[in-house]
Each structure stands twice: as structure tokens, then as C-alpha cells.
Amino acid sequence: NAGVTQTPKFRVLKTGQSMTLLCAQDMNHEYMYWYRQDPGMGLRLIHYSVGEGTTAKGEVPDGYNVSRLKKQNFLLGLESAAPSQTSVYFCASSYSYQTEETQYFGPGTRLLVL
Amino acid sequence: AQSVTQPDIHITVSEGASLELRCNYSYGATPYLFWYVQSPGQGLQLLLKYFSGDTLVQGIKGFEAEFKRSQSSFNLRKPSVHWSDAAEYFCAGFNDYKLSFGAGTTVTVRA
């Protein structure tokens, strides 16, 4: 049971390049989330998904797209990377919409956009 | 907006001393509150959570937190800090399917 895994761990992009971050969970969780972490700002929610085939915008969705084609995977895409997207990205998952459920976090992906 | 705030950006504490990290919330109803810890270069690990009931919550690694509705606070405490407790600590509140995080408090432990 690997929990929540993220690929890649680290990436450097040039402005305007695109990339996809992969999040996978093996806990059969319904809900999945993408956050970005920037110094002094905590974690901010980018997008989330309440089930396979569904996605919704979070607090800071601009410049990102997501897809949840399979229950266990949640993809975060950057179509045209900008230096402002330099950050550490965390994926999380939880069992259901019931508030008692805890979110489990992946190890993070460090992205540097030059 | 419903949220949590952590007033202290950085705290330095001596090994063996007690630690208290502050968290204030602004939710209309009884909030669901969490404390997470992040060690350098790592993901977030849940320390403890409060949903209802007993206002003193015990967590892992010897941490506890007390929910005080009158003060809108959910402060994290540890009686005796170890060097391995040096990390960043985040308070979070849950509402409308989403977690909202505070900005975090960095804890430095000196020998």
C-alpha cells in the first residue's frame, strides 16, 4: 500500500512549456485534491475532484487544468508554464465527502519555471 | 470568509521546553479542525483532528490541541520538545469539501 504518490518529484521548465503532474492513490479514495505551497502562504487549493470523471475549481485554478479519468489518478496540467507557477505541488486524497475523513498527502513535486 | 490564521510565523524553543502554537478560526458553525506537520522536504502528516466532543484532542508524537469556542482557537501544545520536532506546522479548517490552511508556523529547536 503506497498511499499517495506523485510523479515527477522535481522538474524544471522554461516559460511557455507544458507539463503534466501525475497523482496516484491506491486507497480507493473518492476525493482527490491538488494544492500548491508557496512560502508564507500555506497550501492553496488549485482543483479538486469528488469522483471519477468530475473536477471542480479551488482557490487558485487559473493556469491549470485537471482530469480524473480513472478513480485512482488525478492529473494536473500546465498548458503554458509561467514563472509564477514555480512552487511545490501537493496532491491529497480522502475517502468521501463526509467531513470526518482525513486527507492523505503525497510527498510533493517541486516545479521551477525559468 | 471562513478560514484559519496562525499568528506566529516562526518560533524558537529549547529542547525539553514546552511548545504552544496558536491557531484561530473564523467559522460560523462548529468547525472541523486539523493540525498537520511538515518536515523539511517532506509532505504533510496529520498530527490530530477535532470534529466534536471532548475539546482536548490527543495526537501523535506527544502533541495535543485544545478547542476553545469562546476564543475561536485551536492551539497545539507539546510538554517537552525534541530536536526532531523542528518542522513547519499547519492548522487547517474543513468546509464545503475543502481544507483551508493557515500560513504555517516554523519551529526551530535549539540544543
Side-chain angles (χ1 to χ4, degrees), chain A residues 34-56:
Chain A
W34 274 109
Y35 296 88
R36 60 176 290 172
Q37 182 180 29
D38 302 291
M41 303 188 74
L43 277 76
R44 293 180 292 168
L45 183 66
I46 304 171
H47 286 280
Y48 65 102
S49 167
V50 301
E52 183 178 323
T54 70
T55 63

Side-chain angles (χ1 to χ4, degrees), chain A residues 25 28-30 32 52 68-73:
Chain A
Q25 52 92 6
N28 200 35
H29 283 173
E30 291 292 337
M32 297 186 74
E52 183 178 323
R68 183 99 181 268
L69 299 179
K70 294 182 178 181
K71 186 177 183 178
Q72 64 268 31
N73 295 336

Side-chain angles (χ1 to χ4, degrees), chain B residues 45-59:
Chain B
Q45 181 181 22
L46 179 70
L47 285 175
L48 47 79
K49 56 189 176 184
Y50 172 78
F51 298 131
S52 65
D54 194 349
T55 56
L56 186 62
V57 181
Q58 300 297 320

Side-chain angles (χ1 to χ4, degrees), chain A residues 33 97 99 103, chain B residues 27 32 34 92-99:
Chain A
Y33 311 80
Y97 69 88
T99 55
Q103 291 189 17
Chain B
Y27 289 90
Y32 298 90
F34 303 78
F94 192 96
N95 180 64
D96 191 24
Y97 312 138
K98 301 182 288 291
L99 276 177

